[in-house]
Amino acid sequence: AGLIPLDILDAYKFYQPDELRVHDGGQYDPWHPNAKGHLIAAKTVYDKLKKDNIAGVFDNHDRLKDQPALKRD
């Protein structure tokens, strides 16, 4: 077994870059995602693990399923 590559860049294509960047305390970080960006990345990884049943433990654990931060208008 080895690492399974996963490109999460496509998960961000529905968002404006400023929606996902850190804007905290007057500091601006164009490279690191904010909480919403991390949630999108986590959901993408979770969905891949669940879809491929990689870990085999996701049958009763849908914690990221209906996160309000991921809803788009």
Side-chain angles (χ1 to χ4, degrees):
L3 293 176
I4 299 168
L6 176 61
D7 183 358
I8 63 170
L9 192 57
D10 278 348
Y12 293 121
K13 70 183 175 185
F14 301 106
Y15 301 89
Q16 294 297 316
D18 270 355
E19 286 183 81
L20 306 175
R21 290 186 180 135
V22 173
H23 301 277
D24 189 26
Q27 294 185 359
Y28 177 74
D29 183 347
W31 301 109
H32 296 94
N34 59 18
K36 184 175 184 176
H38 279 101
L39 183 60
I40 293 165
K43 183 171 182 337
T44 302
V45 171
Y46 174 84
D47 288 348
K48 174 67 172 172
L49 291 172
K50 187 172 180 181
K51 176 180 172 262
D52 295 349
N53 200 23
I54 293 169
V57 295
F58 293 100
D59 295 333
N60 297 316
H61 302 287
D62 269 341
R63 294 184 188 132
L64 294 175
K65 182 178 161 187
D66 294 317
Q67 287 293 321
L70 298 178
K71 303 280 188 214
R72 298 296 296 168
D73 296 329

